[in-house]
Amino acid sequence: MKYDAEGDLEFIETWNYDESNPVKYEMKDANDNVISMRKEELKDGTDLRVEHLVYDKNGNTKVNLTTSYEGADIKRFTYYNADKPQESGSLFCEYENGQRIKETVLNSELKVKNVYNVKYKDDIKESITVLDSDNKEVLKYIQ
């Protein structure tokens, strides 16, 4: 619990370490309204989804940050900001033999912004090709 200078309750933080409860962290204001929450859900022992939500005073989602993993691989990352929706976006990753071979970046309207294709030679990153939303090459980085 955190109190202000006058001794009034500002917020309460609760941490939860119970594996069966997906809500791992919760912050509530003095009126018992949730203002921040972190969730973790483990599926099949290796697939993890971590979500951090921040709410405004009316209970609407203000910020959402979500990451999904398959084993050690980040498969999806999403950021949403209600105050600046144009800054929101998602990233989807594809792997082959444990190496990230493709990243697709989506804008706030869930349309492709860029695609990054990675080539390897003898397990060493050889090149990265960047494609735009029209699938045209805009940059190629070669090691």
Side-chain angles (χ1 to χ4, degrees):
M1 291 186 217
K2 180 169 185 310
Y3 297 92
D4 63 18
E6 289 80 40
D8 294 326
L9 181 66
E10 280 189 57
F11 61 84
I12 299 170
E13 291 181 304
T14 305
W15 289 90
N16 177 12
Y17 300 100
D18 179 2
E19 289 183 26
S20 66
N21 186 345
V23 178
K24 301 302 178 193
Y25 169 82
E26 195 170 60
M27 179 188 283
K28 292 184 177 182
D29 65 15
N31 298 317
D32 205 37
N33 298 316
V34 176
I35 53 177
S36 180
M37 177 187 305
R38 178 182 164 96
K39 297 187 208 176
E40 293 181 8
E41 294 181 79
L42 187 62
K43 183 177 162 187
D44 299 328
T46 60
D47 298 345
L48 177 66
R49 182 173 191 262
V50 179
E51 183 174 22
H52 192 156
L53 299 147
V54 177
Y55 300 98
D56 66 15
K57 62 183 178 181
N58 298 317
N60 299 313
T61 301
K62 186 171 181 162
V63 175
N64 181 344
L65 185 63
T66 305
T67 308
S68 296
Y69 302 87
E70 282 184 10
D73 300 336
I74 294 176
K75 294 298 281 185
R76 179 180 178 198
F77 174 84
T78 302
Y79 171 74
Y80 170 74
N81 184 333
D83 293 336
K84 298 177 184 178
Q86 69 280 4
E87 292 181 5
S88 302
S90 296
L91 172 72
F92 294 87
C93 303
E94 294 177 28
Y95 295 81
E96 188 175 277
N97 299 323
Q99 296 176 324
R100 191 177 314 181
I101 59 168
K102 183 177 182 179
E103 293 181 7
T104 303
V105 179
L106 305 180
N107 63 20
S108 60
E109 297 171 346
L110 300 177
K111 294 181 180 175
V112 173
K113 180 177 179 180
N114 290 104
V115 175
Y116 299 82
N117 291 313
V118 182
K119 300 276 188 217
Y120 295 87
K121 183 175 182 181
D122 299 324
D123 292 332
I124 297 173
K125 193 178 297 179
E126 184 177 60
S127 68
I128 301 171
T129 304
V130 182
L131 307 174
D132 65 11
S133 60
D134 295 322
N135 210 29
K136 293 183 181 162
E137 185 177 312
V138 292
L139 179 68
K140 187 163 192 165
Y141 173 76
I142 301 172
Q143 300 242 80

